[in-house]
Amino acid sequence: MSEEREYQVCKKCVMDTTDEDISFNVNGVCNRCIEYETRILPEWNYGKGHEEELSGLLNEIKSKGASKPYDCILGLSGGLDSTYMLHLAVREWGLRPFVFHIDAGWNLPVAEENVKRVTDKLGVDLHVEKMNWDEMREMQLAWFRTGMENLDSPQDHAFIALIDRYSRELGVKYILNGYNICTEVVADPASWGKDGGPTGDSTYMKDVIRKHCTIPIKEYTFTNGFKHKVVLPYIYGVKTIKPLNLVHFTKRQMVETLQTEYGYVPYGQKHFEDLITKFLEGWWVPTRFGHDIRRAQLSSLVMTGQMSRDEALRILEKSPLTDEEAKELFSEVAKRLEISEDELMEYHEMPKCSERFRSQKALYNTGIKLFEALGIEKRIRK
């Protein structure tokens, strides 16, 4: 955000000028709200009216997977979206998903307990991919050393890469993606992460590793956008689908269903089922960069009619974490990374990232624009 720009908050949602690319019409409504109302809502219609499309999709999944042990792949984090999708996939839709969970060393007990409760009651096998902690620890430190904002890349890239690997190994033709318009139509502003590269881009990942890792990274699995977006769907015939957009529900209904059926325990803010993500989104990013990820999360709920703007503003008046919670997380993160708290604070106080890393960002951005034009991309990514 330029120094000359006057601070402004959207009159309909709670997105603000901490997003350098935000714009407003004469009524003070932001470009994200306008895009939602003109591009997303008419087709989505709150998940209503898609029964025929969903039925056809489910029949196709079952037919193509009939001769295999699994008919689809589902990554389960223990978070709300993936857990609710597993509930629907097994209990409501009769699918047979290969369910996997990544243990990257940062799981919080609430996530592990939720995963166990749901998979046990549904009777599905859980496949846990335990990452090499020495590599994950060093990669996380490497991202801290860059000074950039988006520090979740080591975990996020591993998730995408493992989905790609499993789909090839199992011969399964459908990947269930938990993204849903209902709770996350507004993506984090691109301007917040302009110093980094695309999460699924191995070119970017490997360049950061080359420049900032102090040990060889040998066991980590990589992928790239061409493999994920072109090779898998158009050569191997693997489709990534987002079935939650074809059914009607609210966030409240998701939580209540999971609590009633499985004893699911809510964990507060979105992504707070993971220690490093809770630390980064709850304290590190707001205090170091002045960006509050809750603005995107709450704006999604405001736009979709699940929360009033006034309620969202009241939530934003309070910090995501108490001082005591932040202090405990800070100490725990330093301990797990095997560094002193002083060193971790040095990363927090260091200059913002000015280094440039090789990436395929231009190609990714072109692909997103193409998918938007084709009506495939259902997220507001400005």
Side-chain angles (χ1 to χ4, degrees):
M1 180 176 63
S2 66
E3 293 183 2
E4 294 79 15
R5 190 174 192 185
E6 182 179 357
Y7 181 75
Q8 187 174 353
V9 183
C10 176
K11 296 294 185 181
K12 275 198 170 183
C13 70
V14 291
M15 294 305 295
D16 66 358
T17 43
T18 59
D19 174 12
E20 297 175 10
D21 300 325
I22 199 169
S23 60
F24 303 92
N25 66 12
V26 293
N27 297 315
V29 177
C30 77
N31 53 319
R32 288 167 177 259
C33 284
I34 294 169
E35 183 176 355
Y36 169 74
E37 293 171 357
T38 58
R39 185 174 73 86
I40 306 294
L41 180 57
E43 182 179 346
W44 174 51
N45 191 32
Y46 303 99
K48 300 175 182 178
H50 301 285
E51 294 83 4
E52 185 175 342
E53 180 182 356
L54 178 62
S55 176
L57 180 61
L58 295 177
N59 289 335
E60 188 178 311
I61 293 173
K62 293 174 182 178
S63 175
K64 291 191 176 181
S67 63
K68 299 181 176 68
Y70 309 100
D71 52 24
C72 56
I73 295 172
L74 189 155
L76 183 64
S77 68
L80 182 61
D81 301 327
S82 63
T83 306
Y84 188 67
M85 184 167 64
L86 177 61
H87 159 74
L88 290 179
V90 177
R91 185 70 63 83
E92 303 293 332
W93 301 335
L95 299 179
R96 298 175 291 109
F98 175 89
V99 181
F100 78 95
H101 173 78
I102 293 180
D103 180 359
W106 295 107
N107 283 348
L108 286 172
V110 65
E112 294 184 339
E113 291 163 5
N114 280 338
V115 166
K116 180 171 174 41
R117 287 189 188 98
V118 176
T119 54
D120 282 355
K121 187 160 185 181
L122 288 175
V124 299
D125 293 331
L126 177 66
H127 306 266
V128 178
E129 184 78 20
K130 192 172 181 63
M131 307 295 290
N132 180 312
W133 172 244
D134 289 336
E135 290 190 358
M136 292 302 295
R137 169 186 165 276
E138 179 59 26
M139 289 177 68
Q140 191 63 70
L141 282 169
W143 260 259
F144 274 112
R145 293 172 188 136
T146 66
M148 69 175 67
E149 181 167 352
N150 289 343
L151 303 182
D152 264 346
S153 296
Q155 288 192 97
D156 293 344
H157 186 91
F159 183 81
I160 299 170
L162 286 170
I163 286 179
D164 291 353
R165 193 190 82 190
Y166 284 138
S167 66
R168 297 195 307 274
E169 291 177 353
L170 298 170
V172 174
K173 300 299 182 183
Y174 293 89
I175 298 168
L176 304 188
N177 184 308
Y179 164 72
N180 62 94
I181 295 169
C182 178
T183 67
E184 50 189 355
V185 66
V186 179
D188 301 343
S191 65
W192 290 1
K194 62 183 179 182
D195 51 6
T199 298
D201 181 5
S202 61
T203 300
Y204 162 65
M205 298 294 296
K206 291 178 179 179
D207 199 38
V208 175
I209 289 169
R210 180 178 63 84
K211 292 176 178 177
H212 290 281
C213 279
T214 61
I215 65 172
I217 305 300
K218 297 180 179 180
E219 297 183 18
Y220 188 85
T221 303
F222 294 95
T223 190
N224 58 63
F226 182 76
K227 182 187 298 183
H228 189 70
K229 298 292 188 180
V230 178
V231 174
L232 279 180
Y234 298 108
I235 296 180
Y236 291 104
V238 177
K239 296 181 180 180
T240 298
I241 58 174
K242 301 169 183 175
L244 291 183
N245 290 331
L246 302 179
V247 292
H248 175 67
F249 60 89
T250 64
K251 181 179 178 180
R252 177 175 293 180
Q253 290 170 343
M254 295 168 77
V255 173
E256 290 177 351
T257 297
L258 296 179
Q259 286 180 310
T260 300
E261 296 291 333
Y262 310 100
Y264 181 88
V265 178
Y267 47 85
Q269 186 172 316
K270 189 178 181 68
H271 300 150
F272 272 21
E273 73 273 24
D274 176 272
L275 190 150
I276 188 66
T277 308
K278 183 175 184 178
F279 172 67
L280 295 173
E281 296 185 358
W283 184 80
W284 186 275
V285 170
T287 58
R288 176 166 159 77
F289 297 94
H291 298 152
D292 192 337
I293 195 172
R294 295 177 301 171
R295 288 195 176 274
Q297 297 167 358
L298 295 172
S299 289
S300 293
L301 298 180
V302 172
M303 286 184 192
T304 55
Q306 301 175 73
M307 179 181 288
S308 71
R309 181 176 181 272
D310 287 343
E311 182 180 354
L313 289 172
R314 284 195 297 272
I315 292 172
L316 289 169
E317 289 176 356
K318 297 181 179 180
S319 298
L321 300 171
T322 65
D323 291 343
E324 184 177 351
E325 288 173 326
K327 184 177 180 180
E328 290 177 358
L329 282 173
F330 191 95
S331 298
E332 182 62 24
V333 169
K335 180 180 177 181
R336 293 203 190 188
L337 291 175
E338 300 175 29
I339 61 175
S340 68
E341 292 185 25
D342 286 343
E343 181 177 345
L344 185 56
M345 184 57 75
E346 287 176 5
Y347 295 139
H348 184 270
E349 302 303 319
M350 71 186 291
K352 306 299 189 293
C353 180
S354 59
E355 187 175 6
R356 291 295 171 258
F357 300 96
R358 295 177 57 216
S359 77
Q360 302 296 323
K361 182 180 288 189
L363 185 60
Y364 274 75
N365 289 339
T366 299
I368 289 172
K369 291 178 181 178
L370 176 61
F371 282 3
E372 286 178 347
L374 294 174
I376 299 172
E377 176 56 61
K378 303 296 185 183
R379 197 171 196 185
I380 303 171
R381 292 185 175 273
K382 293 293 188 299

